[in-house]
Amino acid sequence: MSRLVVVSNRIAIPNKSKSSAGGLAVGIMDALKNTSGLWFGWSGEISEISGEEEEELDIVEKDGITYATVPLNQNDYDLYYCQFSNAVIWPAFHYRIDLVDFQREAWEGYCRVNDLLARQLQPLIKPDDILWIHDYHLLPFAAALRKIGVTNRIGFFLHIPFPTPEVFNALPTHKELLEMMCEYDLLGFQTETDRNAFVENLDQLTPLEDVAPNTHRAFGHTFKTEVYPISIAPDSIKQMAEGPLPPKIDMMKRELSNAKNIISCERLDYTKGLPERFLAFEALLEHYPQHRGKVRYSQIAPTSRGDVQAYQDLRHQLEMEVGRINGKYGSLNSTPLYYLNQHFDRRLLMKIFRLTDVGLVTPLRDGMNLVAKEYIAAQDPEDPGVLVLSRFTGAANEMTGALIVNPYDRDEVAAALDQALTMGREERISRYNEMMKILRENDIAHWGETYLKDLRALPERGSEKSSTAKAATP
């Protein structure tokens, strides 16, 4: 079997002292172990080297996988990561054009770092390797590799949504980005909606030929687009959630007594709909007064990208809303809303999920949302909690046993919370079993195996050109 080379913005080198790896790392490491593969990307370190100098790769071998990492200098980090990746692509792809801060210098830095990473990876690539590139930081990466002569099969998987033309066309470099993405052999998306949006963008900008089902030709390149909903390892999550409770969780369980508990957990980000969620919880307390003093909503939201003004503003807004809602509906012996701006160990989180009655997952826009799947997998099969899920997540296409809501409609979310809090055990078990069946059939291993099987089945760029030339010979 050909060796797998994975490229991502950051690399998760296993460390026993740290919490267990998340969904992407689990799926990738299993695939890499099967082929003694290579994982390449940014180390997360900022180098003092500047200008035209290039830092040497740091190569580590562990458990049959080779990890190759490289630092970035401060200027490249600012332009490639902070500015273009997270102040242009991230908001635009999540339909927040109002937050896009496009600067031509940042676009040039984004492309330059992709070129730099491609040059550093090239000497490590073997002739029969297949390459699997991940996420929005590396949209031009295949184009950068093709420029320096790499003809291996190269696949790409997008972990976030892909916007419709009305949104995507607002980016000044939208055509250049699309043309670069066509250098991939296989483009994987979370949902059919995202795949269709990508194809529709192409169709509006350039002649697009469908040469086979989901196989297209544009900008002189032939490539395939497919849908691969990323998932989790449900049995591993279940195992983490079971067993004795740590003292702090046991104390929390005793404090709750007969009160119901709603849980939400995600990093602090404007795409997650946290202010809208707080207002929906307030609507629950206002319109369903029977729950006052009998329910607690815990929102875990560790800071991310804290140096970005939009995230600082969001944190301040949430802190204000928490104080207002608790001041309005709290009492001497009841605090309805807990907001925790801190990180929790993943194993601990799974135990918390298992103890809670409702998982509230209502982002305004999300590629998949693995927290929704983890919440279900962590539940007690005999007494499961209920998932309230935004219709604008990729997970909503699979997790049909959840209560699906529009996160912009606070009254609809409040009604769903009331339904979840009062739902009988028989219905909860039925919904849980329906969703667990899907999670087990389409787990993280199935996701990786399906994608790589499709990528390996495609011809290399060199063989495609050769076949085309032969066909054109009279």
Side-chain angles (χ1 to χ4, degrees):
M1 181 184 292
S2 55
R3 187 180 67 155
L4 174 63
V5 175
V6 169
V7 183
S8 60
N9 175 58
R10 288 287 299 272
I11 291 186
I13 300 177
N15 186 335
K16 290 182 180 178
S17 68
K18 295 181 180 179
S19 60
S20 56
L24 173 61
V26 169
I28 286 178
M29 284 191 285
D30 284 348
L32 286 167
K33 284 177 184 176
N34 292 335
T35 65
S36 299
L38 168 70
W39 196 348
F40 171 86
W42 173 42
S43 64
E45 300 294 324
I46 302 298
S47 166
E48 295 182 3
I49 287 180
S50 60
E52 297 300 316
E53 295 180 275
E54 292 185 6
E55 192 80 51
E56 289 187 7
L57 285 169
D58 182 19
I59 299 178
V60 175
E61 292 189 16
K62 191 166 187 177
D63 299 328
I65 301 173
T66 301
Y67 299 88
T69 60
V70 62
L72 297 175
N73 65 47
Q74 186 66 52
N75 185 58
D76 283 345
Y77 168 78
D78 289 340
L79 297 176
Y80 151 79
Y81 182 76
C82 296
Q83 294 186 35
F84 200 82
S85 291
N86 291 320
V88 177
I89 296 179
W90 179 266
F93 280 39
H94 287 87
Y95 291 72
R96 290 300 305 269
I97 286 292
D98 58 309
L99 294 177
V100 169
D101 180 18
F102 179 88
Q103 298 177 44
R104 182 65 56 174
E105 183 186 12
W107 161 250
E108 292 168 355
Y110 177 73
C111 293
R112 183 177 63 251
V113 170
N114 271 266
D115 288 343
L116 165 69
L117 295 174
R119 289 196 305 272
Q120 290 175 312
L121 175 63
Q122 185 191 25
L124 305 179
I125 299 174
K126 299 176 181 178
D128 63 343
D129 284 347
I130 65 166
L131 282 65
W132 192 9
I133 318 304
H134 287 267
D135 225 359
Y136 61 101
H137 315 83
L138 301 169
L139 296 175
F141 198 72
L145 287 170
R146 302 299 187 201
K147 280 192 299 187
I148 55 178
V150 175
T151 60
N152 300 58
R153 298 176 185 87
I154 309 178
F156 176 79
F157 184 76
L158 183 65
H159 292 256
I160 64 176
F162 198 91
T164 58
E166 292 79 9
V167 175
F168 188 70
N169 289 349
L171 296 180
T173 56
H174 64 279
K175 186 172 182 180
E176 293 96 319
L177 274 172
L178 279 182
E179 187 168 358
M180 289 171 169
M181 291 179 72
C182 292
E183 296 274 12
Y184 287 102
D185 298 294
L186 175 62
L187 291 139
F189 299 91
Q190 299 273 20
T191 69
E192 185 65 21
T193 299
D194 298 324
R195 191 193 73 82
N196 283 335
F198 175 75
V199 173
E200 188 179 351
N201 272 287
L202 277 175
D203 195 34
Q204 288 194 9
L205 283 174
T206 187
L208 178 66
E209 179 186 359
D210 291 329
V211 298
N214 288 5
T215 302
H216 323 276
R217 187 163 182 81
F219 295 113
H221 307 297
T222 301
F223 52 92
K224 188 172 185 178
T225 60
E226 277 294 353
V227 175
Y228 305 94
I230 195 170
S231 193
I232 61 171
D235 291 330
S236 174
I237 298 294
K238 183 174 181 291
Q239 207 169 29
M240 285 186 216
E242 293 173 338
L245 297 176
K248 64 171 72 173
I249 302 301
D250 191 47
M251 183 183 299
M252 183 190 82
K253 183 181 178 182
R254 290 198 305 271
E255 284 176 357
L256 281 172
S257 185
N258 294 324
K260 296 291 183 77
N261 199 0
I262 301 168
I263 188 75
S264 293
C265 178
E266 55 262 293
R267 63 186 181 81
L268 189 66
D269 192 282
Y270 50 77
T271 67
K272 302 302 182 182
L274 299 183
E276 291 81 1
R277 197 178 302 170
F278 282 14
L279 293 176
F281 178 66
E282 181 182 21
L284 170 75
L285 299 178
E286 179 181 352
H287 301 312
Y288 303 90
Q290 65 270 26
H291 294 300
R292 295 177 191 172
K294 298 178 181 179
V295 64
R296 183 168 83 176
Y297 165 27
S298 301
Q299 174 66 61
I300 299 171
T303 297
S304 68
R305 304 167 190 160
D307 52 348
V308 178
Q309 187 62 45
Y311 291 84
Q312 296 171 13
D313 294 343
L314 174 61
R315 180 175 176 178
H316 179 68
Q317 181 185 2
L318 294 178
E319 290 167 351
M320 295 287 289
E321 288 296 331
V322 170
R324 186 183 63 78
I325 293 170
N326 283 334
K328 186 176 181 181
Y329 290 105
S331 65
L332 289 175
N333 58 3
S334 172
T335 302
L337 176 53
Y338 281 73
Y339 166 55
L340 304 172
N341 182 232
Q342 56 189 267
H343 173 78
F344 279 69
D345 180 273
R346 190 160 175 266
R347 297 182 188 90
L348 183 61
L349 270 178
M350 298 308 113
K351 293 185 182 297
I352 294 173
F353 286 174
R354 190 179 182 87
L355 290 176
T356 52
D357 302 281
V358 181
L360 183 57
V361 184
T362 53
L364 305 180
R365 182 75 60 170
D366 224 337
M368 176 52 62
N369 196 292
L370 295 182
V371 171
K373 296 186 175 186
E374 290 174 341
Y375 177 80
I376 291 301
Q379 295 307 298
D380 178 355
E382 301 301 318
D383 189 22
V386 181
L387 176 63
V388 177
L389 181 62
S390 165
R391 62 187 289 189
F392 301 119
T393 64
N397 295 328
E398 298 175 277
M399 312 294 281
T400 53
L403 300 179
I404 308 296
V405 297
N406 179 348
Y408 294 95
D409 187 341
R410 68 183 69 169
D411 292 331
E412 182 182 358
V413 177
L417 286 172
D418 173 62
Q419 183 183 351
L421 291 166
T422 57
M423 188 179 293
R425 179 178 296 200
E426 185 176 342
E427 182 179 354
R428 287 188 280 116
I429 290 174
S430 174
R431 288 173 178 271
Y432 164 83
N433 286 334
E434 176 189 336
M435 289 185 279
M436 280 301 292
K437 182 175 184 293
I438 294 168
L439 290 180
R440 287 202 167 99
E441 288 174 352
N442 301 314
D443 64 2
I444 188 68
H446 179 267
W447 168 75
E449 290 164 3
T450 303
Y451 185 98
L452 293 174
K453 179 183 176 182
D454 288 351
L455 181 56
R456 286 194 172 97
L458 297 175
E460 291 186 12
R461 286 289 166 115
S463 62
E464 177 192 309
K465 290 177 181 177
S466 174
S467 299
T468 304
K470 289 179 182 177
T473 302

